[in-house]
Amino acid sequence: LSICSKLCYAIGGAPNQVAGSAAAFFLQIYLLDIAHITPFHASLVLFIGRASGAVTDPVAGFFIIKSRWTNIGRLMPWMLACTPFTVVSYFFMWYLPPFVSGRVAWYLTFYCLFQALTTLFQVPYSALTMFLSTDQKERDSATAYRMTVEVLGTLIGAALQGQIVASAHIAPHCTLNPSVNTTDSWHDTPSFPDPSDPLSPQVIYMIAAGAIGGVYLIGIFILFLGVKEKDDPYALNSDRAIPFCKGLGLTMKHGPYVKLTASFLLISTAVQLEQSNFVLFCIHAANLRSHFQYLVVTILVSAAVSIPFWQKFLQRFGKKPAAVGILLLVPSVIVLVSTTDLILAYCAAFISGLSIATSLLLPWSMLPDVVDNFRLQNPHGKGHETIFYSSYVFFTKMSAGIGLGISAAGLEFTGYKPRICRQSSDVITTLKILIGVVPAILILVGLFILHFYPITEESRKETKHALEMLR
């Protein structure tokens, strides 16, 4: 693979990360403080939206397997077709409708559409790794390029969104009089800024949505021009595609896949919880209202610059030992919730970025090894790659959706109120638990499961040799 092909492949996946990062860090606080919907309804939007994206994964896998080969491949037409609709749904996800009573239904509809459409892009895009090259080192290299650019995309999404919308969360009355704490209840009529005001929060969020939506068009254009999809190099002409339901049953019985998925669905849920609640934590629990966008950038810059290091690390020492990087998140979140020192907060954010980089790189680097291991045990079937990737994303999305729904419901239970200077002590404690205790426990349990993952560097090399002989 040429460097140009790897870069074009990596850039193609960046828009999903740009938009996903903006939503992960800012959607919850947007729903609470700008759209003025209750934490309970916000939890429904977040959970059902994630669940819709998760359910779409196996559905996408089912139809992609039945797709015929075209002049531009089997996977590329899916990515081209869903991109324009993704841009539209993303824009309306940040639009504040003029009505109030149906506002929850509005955000639920467009967030579900956005999650489903990004899934229709992500499943064929991630499975495309298996059809770039037959060489494991080349696939690992392409994955490293992809994860580096995707983390940069995550950085761009969070930084762009954070810089544009930061003014929407400035509360001058809190700055001038920190002791102010309103007692407004949910039954009071919220006062919305004038939508025609060029500096109103909803207009600012729409500007950010338009900027990020344009990134999708650039990404798909580069992917289409720079990447050539290859057909399955191991399949014989006589081989038939594995039926989706049968293939799903086989994957669920494949030991390495079950252990890998169980481990990283816990780890990814921990990362999602930290992302979703981080801005709320900085504003309401850590007295970092004026620094939250810079702390987010610190996390993502750290993740972006450390991806090449972790790629070299796993090449030299193996993929399982590289999981030690994920463990760094535990002390960093403990420091973050237990200190008010600004320097320590930035140090904790930097270390969190190192851990997040590892959690992003490892599963996508290990999943092709699982697919190769399955291929060796089932040499006369094809089409299982899409099943592996779609079901993996299904489980991780569903677990993250449950985690985010529970966290938002926890804020409702403890009495979170939007746009007030000080939240109650129960809300602050809840935010600290969601940022510190829960992610730490999920990561420790996930790494314990990963310890039993059976594919080692030696077995991976044996599988590679056996597949070359088969080919």
Side-chain angles (χ1 to χ4, degrees):
L1 287 174
S2 67
I3 293 177
C4 180
S5 294
K6 294 176 187 176
L7 279 175
C8 290
Y9 171 65
I11 292 171
N16 258 1
Q17 304 307 314
V18 173
S21 172
F25 280 106
F26 292 96
L27 183 59
Q28 181 167 262
I29 195 170
Y30 170 82
L31 294 175
L32 295 174
D33 285 4
I34 307 300
H36 285 243
I37 67 176
T38 68
F40 174 73
H41 287 133
S43 71
L44 289 180
V45 172
L46 294 173
F47 169 69
I48 297 176
R50 287 278 181 168
S52 68
V55 170
T56 308
D57 282 293
V59 174
F62 175 81
F63 285 107
I64 290 171
I65 283 178
K66 294 184 174 294
S67 301
R68 294 184 178 181
W69 182 266
T70 68
N71 292 333
I72 58 174
R74 181 180 291 106
L75 304 175
M76 189 67 73
W78 285 87
M79 294 180 275
L80 287 173
C82 69
T83 297
F85 300 101
T86 305
V87 174
V88 173
S89 65
Y90 181 79
F91 180 81
F92 282 110
M93 192 174 80
W94 300 98
Y95 175 72
L96 188 69
F99 48 84
V100 176
S101 59
R103 196 164 283 173
V104 175
W106 175 277
Y107 290 113
L108 184 60
T109 299
F110 284 103
Y111 188 49
C112 287
L113 279 174
F114 173 71
Q115 287 290 336
L117 289 166
T118 54
T119 295
L120 289 176
F121 180 95
Q122 192 66 28
V123 169
Y125 174 76
S126 55
L128 186 60
T129 309
M130 301 300 298
F131 302 99
L132 296 176
S133 173
T134 59
D135 187 89
Q136 286 182 343
K137 286 187 177 180
E138 287 296 304
R139 292 202 304 254
D140 286 346
S141 177
T143 299
Y145 271 81
R146 169 192 162 191
M147 298 317 302
T148 302
V149 175
E150 285 192 354
V151 171
L152 286 172
T154 304
L155 168 63
I156 292 170
L160 182 63
Q161 184 90 355
Q163 293 301 318
I164 294 176
V165 308
S167 61
H169 298 287
I170 293 175
H173 64 286
C174 295
T175 305
L176 295 174
N177 187 5
S179 63
V180 172
N181 188 2
T182 64
T183 57
D184 295 337
S185 70
W186 285 113
H187 303 289
D188 293 331
T189 303
S191 58
F192 295 102
D194 181 5
S196 62
D197 180 4
L199 296 178
S200 66
Q202 56 263 46
V203 172
I204 291 172
Y205 267 96
M206 287 170 60
I207 292 171
I212 291 176
V215 176
Y216 269 99
L217 304 179
I218 298 172
I220 192 64
F221 181 74
I222 293 174
L223 179 68
F224 176 71
L225 291 182
V227 176
K228 183 172 178 59
E229 179 184 344
K230 300 176 182 178
D231 206 356
D232 189 343
Y234 295 112
L236 302 174
N237 291 332
S238 59
D239 288 347
R240 291 186 176 183
I242 300 176
F244 183 82
C245 293
K246 179 183 178 182
L248 187 61
L250 291 173
T251 59
M252 292 300 103
K253 296 176 183 177
H254 192 59
Y257 177 72
V258 172
K259 293 180 176 67
L260 180 70
T261 302
S263 172
F264 278 99
L265 70 84
L266 295 175
I267 293 170
S268 64
T269 301
V271 174
Q272 286 288 334
L273 281 174
E274 185 177 7
Q275 283 184 328
S276 180
N277 293 286
F278 187 77
V279 176
L280 283 170
F281 170 80
C282 289
I283 291 176
H284 298 298
N287 197 27
L288 296 170
R289 183 184 292 270
S290 58
H291 290 273
F292 73 84
Q293 67 267 42
Y294 306 114
L295 287 167
V296 168
V297 170
T298 300
I299 292 173
L300 297 175
V301 167
S302 170
V305 299
S306 62
I307 286 281
F309 165 78
W310 289 117
Q311 175 65 16
K312 294 291 184 183
F313 186 97
L314 64 86
Q315 286 179 343
R316 183 180 179 91
F317 299 104
K319 296 179 181 180
K320 280 181 67 175
V324 69
I326 300 174
L327 194 61
L328 294 173
L329 190 62
V330 176
S332 68
V333 295
I334 292 174
V335 169
L336 195 62
V337 300
S338 60
T339 184
T340 57
D341 185 84
L342 188 59
I343 296 176
L344 285 178
Y346 275 98
C347 291
F350 181 82
I351 296 173
S352 296
L354 299 179
S355 177
I356 290 172
T358 321
S359 70
L360 292 173
L361 177 63
L362 268 186
W364 297 112
S365 181
M366 299 169 86
L367 197 54
D369 300 337
V370 173
V371 175
D372 282 343
N373 183 271
F374 181 85
R375 157 71 76 182
L376 191 61
Q377 298 179 22
N378 301 270
H380 295 296
K382 61 181 181 179
H384 56 277
E385 296 87 358
T386 305
I387 299 174
F388 272 102
Y389 281 88
S390 62
S391 57
Y392 173 79
V393 178
F394 167 80
F395 287 117
T396 53
K397 278 187 177 180
M398 185 62 76
S399 64
I402 293 172
L404 294 178
I406 292 174
S407 73
L411 294 176
E412 166 85 6
F413 180 75
T414 53
Y416 177 89
K417 295 180 181 179
R419 304 188 75 82
I420 65 173
C421 299
R422 287 185 181 180
Q423 298 291 340
S424 68
S425 59
D426 289 341
V427 172
I428 293 174
T429 301
T430 301
L431 287 170
K432 289 183 177 181
I433 292 173
L434 292 173
I435 283 288
V437 178
V438 177
I441 293 173
L442 291 174
I443 286 172
L444 291 174
V445 176
L447 291 177
F448 176 75
I449 296 173
L450 190 64
H451 175 72
F452 299 98
Y453 174 72
I455 298 179
T456 62
E457 291 305 300
E458 291 74 19
S459 65
R460 190 170 68 87
K461 291 176 182 178
E462 292 172 1
T463 300
K464 177 185 177 182
H465 178 71
L467 285 176
E468 288 299 327
M469 296 298 293
L470 175 68
R471 187 181 175 212

